[in-house]
Amino acid sequence: MMQVSDTIAAFRKALDAERAAGKTVGLAPTMGALHAGHASLIDAAARSCDVVAVTVFVNPLQFGPNEDLAKYPRPFENDMALAAQHGATHILHPSVEEMYGPTGSTVLTTIHVAGITDTMEGAVRPGHFDGVATVVAKLFNAAGPCRAFFGEKDYQQLQVVRQLAHDLSFPIEIVGCAIVREADGLALSSRNVYLSPADRAASIVLSRALDAGAALLRTDIEDLDAARNEVARIVAGEPRASLDYAEAVLTDTEVRLLVAAKFGTTRLLDNLGVPR
Ligand code: AMP
């Protein structure tokens, strides 16, 4: 049986009761329109935790004024069925009013994670990561101590969430989960439903470009410029794609290639790590 809450108080009470009974809690925050990518987070949570809480909330704070907030898909009945199939035991499905007050005007506190939000998605979408950090902090406070699962699909978001959890001492362990893809390579996204058939066909250029960039890195892991340029060159070769950025980011363990492009009005992201 899955317990569905539409208030923070009811959700918190239910998870407090689980912990009091000795259960560990897994958390998978989402904006709904659940697909196999989200399901992989729920599966991972179910494998490593006793109970699994999924949050379904389309967060207005993380959308820009000209973005797709109004038309973002909200198939909640389907979401509940998919979450249950994958082992979710608790769902939080709050209204905007529950999260932010009747007019949104009760929120005077926002969270800004500095530095790592200046580039890529943060540069293209001003304010986006403040919206993400603020809602994630609220959801963490609602959920309480747990292990929280986030997709590498939103790679920069995962880094922001890790930093936030560390900096604000949330009693929460962040777990990153691999990108789930369609058979032809397109990373699953709730926004893929917006793609026209022609744009859907063209969209595989993103994973193709990342694969080509990764192949260059495997011959020379030091040459980030060559890899980034190769990703950009291949995406630019697809007339239906309009490139926002191609980046190569060096970490302790890998080089991460990241790309974002628009197909018509639909913006898609993808990324791929190459071990060092
Ligand atoms: P969203 O509903 O788009 O906000 O995504 C909720 C969570 O699911 C985030 O942690 C995403 O990174 C993750 N996610 C979305 N798509 C995928 C995917 N294709 N593979 C793995 N995780 C994903």
Side-chain angles (χ1 to χ4, degrees):
M1 256 294 286
M2 203 167 61
Q3 182 170 340
V4 181
S5 305
D6 53 16
T7 67
I8 292 170
F11 183 68
R12 177 181 284 141
K13 190 171 170 194
L15 295 182
D16 281 346
E18 298 290 2
R19 279 182 293 262
K23 305 277 173 71
T24 59
V25 174
L27 177 70
T30 80
M31 297 203 301
L34 302 183
H35 50 63
H38 301 112
S40 76
L41 307 186
I42 302 171
D43 289 339
R47 281 195 302 273
S48 79
C49 305
D50 298 323
V51 301
V52 177
V54 175
T55 67
V56 175
F57 179 62
V58 182
N59 173 34
L61 286 191
Q62 72 188 71
F63 286 75
N66 298 315
E67 294 182 358
D68 56 343
L69 174 62
K71 72 165 183 171
Y72 199 86
R74 291 163 169 88
F76 186 58
E77 297 294 319
N78 294 347
D79 289 347
M80 284 197 291
L82 184 142
Q85 275 161 27
H86 289 269
T89 52
H90 298 74
I91 292 204
L92 173 64
H93 181 235
S95 64
V96 173
E97 292 70 27
E98 170 67 10
M99 291 293 276
Y100 297 127
T103 60
S105 60
T106 63
V107 184
L108 300 179
T109 306
T110 57
I111 296 186
H112 177 70
V113 178
I116 57 174
T117 58
D118 289 344
T119 59
M120 298 188 286
E121 290 305 289
V124 177
R125 306 179 70 187
H128 169 67
F129 283 125
D130 290 4
V132 169
T134 302
V135 80
V136 167
K138 284 177 74 79
L139 295 171
F140 282 180
N141 274 328
C146 64
R147 193 171 284 158
F149 296 78
F150 289 85
E152 288 185 356
K153 164 74 181 10
D154 300 280
Y155 181 82
Q156 199 179 3
Q157 169 176 282
L158 174 58
Q159 311 313 314
V160 168
V161 170
R162 284 190 194 285
Q163 189 73 41
L164 161 83
H166 173 265
D167 289 352
L168 298 184
S169 305
F170 280 105
I172 292 182
E173 180 193 339
I174 310 300
V175 182
C177 298
I179 299 178
V180 177
R181 298 177 180 281
E182 301 283 5
D184 65 3
L186 175 65
L188 294 194
S189 163
S190 303
R191 292 189 165 100
N192 291 350
V193 296
Y194 301 150
L195 293 168
S196 70
D199 285 335
R200 171 65 186 82
S203 65
I204 62 169
V205 73
L206 297 184
S207 61
R208 258 201 321 115
L210 292 172
D211 285 340
L216 286 187
L217 285 172
R218 285 187 201 102
T219 65
D220 182 0
I221 195 72
E222 307 282 313
D223 200 345
L224 304 195
D225 285 346
R228 177 198 312 118
N229 291 341
E230 180 71 349
V231 173
R233 186 185 69 78
I234 291 175
V235 175
E238 168 49 63
R240 305 192 74 88
S242 159
L243 181 69
D244 273 349
Y245 60 81
E247 277 301 337
V249 176
L250 186 64
T251 73
D252 288 347
T253 56
E254 64 172 18
V255 175
R256 184 64 57 158
L257 294 172
L258 304 102
V259 66
K262 283 194 283 296
F263 296 79
T265 54
T266 305
R267 217 168 150 268
L268 300 180
L269 308 183
D270 203 352
N271 66 83
L272 184 62
V274 180
R276 293 174 70 186

